[in-house]
Amino acid sequence: MRKHFFSGIQPSGRLHIGNYLGAIKQWIALQDEYEPIFGIVDYHAMTVRYDPAEMRGRVLDAAASYLAAGLEPEKSILMVQSDVPEHTELAWILNCITPMGRLSRIPTFKDKVRQNPDNVNMGLFDYPVLMAADILLYKSEIVPVGEDQVPHLEFTRDVAERFNSAFGEVFAEPAEVLSPGARILGLDGVNKMSKSLDNCLYLDDSDDEISRKLSTAVTDPARKRRTDPGDPTICNIMNLHDVFSTSEEREQCADGCRNATIGCLDCKKILIGHVVETIRPIRERKTDLLARPDDILDILREGAARARPIAQATMAEVRRAVGVTR
Ligand code: AQP
């Protein structure tokens, strides 16, 4: 029997190439070896202000993106977090063994407080506990994630250890699996590519949008003219070449930048070709899928029905361990 692991994405906006390269691409590659559970974690997305009328559409959009990127519902389980109430049940139990001081040191919480100063709610603070519950519920031993999630995985291991030593061995301590695209910067060249910062190349951008966004994206700011030599090590376009282009193209662009024999625009044109080739088939499949929302809803319903017995079996063990069965 293939082992499970859980990995999820918040339906907090359209998915972008950071989500794809940091997480989704790796998940797809693991679906022969494991039976992964891919969650659309809608309860996590409630930690920032949102319009309830948009949530259904966002969930469908995320599901279509996963499927278009190569998730196969015969091999993997695609589900929505709120369809499996054991996630929030386990989160409550984990809350009761989590020191508040430990949570307040997690850097992503501080970042979110900076971004949402007028909405610092308990859900935002507790986000890592719900994420730990998502992962532990399926006894995940690995979790493919982007670099920004490493502190959450460290926290998940902590909680698993705390639980096991208080109540007896129930959970595995999961390890993060990072890809070469584990930290994709946004088009501003400074911040992480992020839905909420809208500095993204989205998985459904048109060829023209990709070309326009990359043509105006930040490069080495000290390189003002075509004839100035540049520093490819601080250029975000070069970072993207690292994940999209061949080694010959990377060398051609890096050497050409250092000795000013290639301009930023020519270097960008090579990248644009690769990004368009990657995004175009995903966008086209996604458009086809979104034209059949009932088929997507069927896949999500079936995913929840397959995930629930696994979650219930773990919860039965957890309930016995913490002494709430009679
Ligand atoms: N820029 C990124 N580079 C590499 N990996 C990334 N991931 C997100 N951004 C990048 C990975 O995608 C998975 C799902 O992330 P998420 O959507 O659940 O949450 P997030 O990391 O908070 O993503 P965003 O886009 O930044 O969302 P908002 O703006 O709503 O907070 C994770 O594995 C993540 O590492």
Side-chain angles (χ1 to χ4, degrees), residues 19 42 55 76 119 129 149 169 190 234 242 296:
N19 298 132
D42 49 352
M55 189 55 99
S76 302
N119 185 24
V129 178
Q149 298 295 329
E169 204 70 28
V190 180
I234 57 165
D242 285 345
I296 302 180

Side-chain angles (χ1 to χ4, degrees), residues 10 12 16 18-19 112 146 148 184 192-196:
Q10 305 185 66
S12 49
H16 51 75
N19 298 132
K112 288 286 173 187
D148 59 318
I184 302 293
K192 185 190 88 144
M193 188 173 285
S194 225
K195 300 175 211 101
S196 49

Side-chain angles (χ1 to χ4, degrees), residues 7-13 15-24 27 41 48 112 115 127 144-149 181-186 192-197 200:
S7 200
I9 284 193
Q10 305 185 66
S12 49
L15 304 193
H16 51 75
I17 58 160
N19 298 132
Y20 177 68
L21 297 167
I24 302 176
W27 304 347
V41 292
V48 292
K112 288 286 173 187
Q115 287 169 16
Y127 189 108
V145 281
E147 204 180 85
D148 59 318
Q149 298 295 329
R183 182 174 154 75
I184 302 293
L185 287 185
K192 185 190 88 144
M193 188 173 285
S194 225
K195 300 175 211 101
S196 49
L197 299 178
C200 307

Side-chain angles (χ1 to χ4, degrees), residues 244-266:
F244 281 103
S245 305
T246 63
S247 51
E248 290 78 24
E249 287 166 329
R250 286 201 298 271
E251 263 170 50
Q252 180 198 347
C253 290
D255 291 346
C257 175
R258 274 191 211 95
N259 54 35
T261 53
I262 188 171
C264 291
L265 209 57
D266 291 329

Side-chain angles (χ1 to χ4, degrees), residues 94 97-99 101-103 105-106 132 136 150-166 171-174:
L94 300 181
I97 56 164
T98 299
R102 176 68 182 86
L103 273 182
R105 287 198 301 276
I106 295 184
L136 298 178
V150 170
H152 290 164
L153 260 295
E154 282 164 3
F155 171 77
T156 303
R157 285 192 287 276
D158 253 31
V159 174
E161 204 206 321
R162 240 177 254 277
F163 184 98
N164 290 344
S165 59
F171 296 121
E173 288 182 32

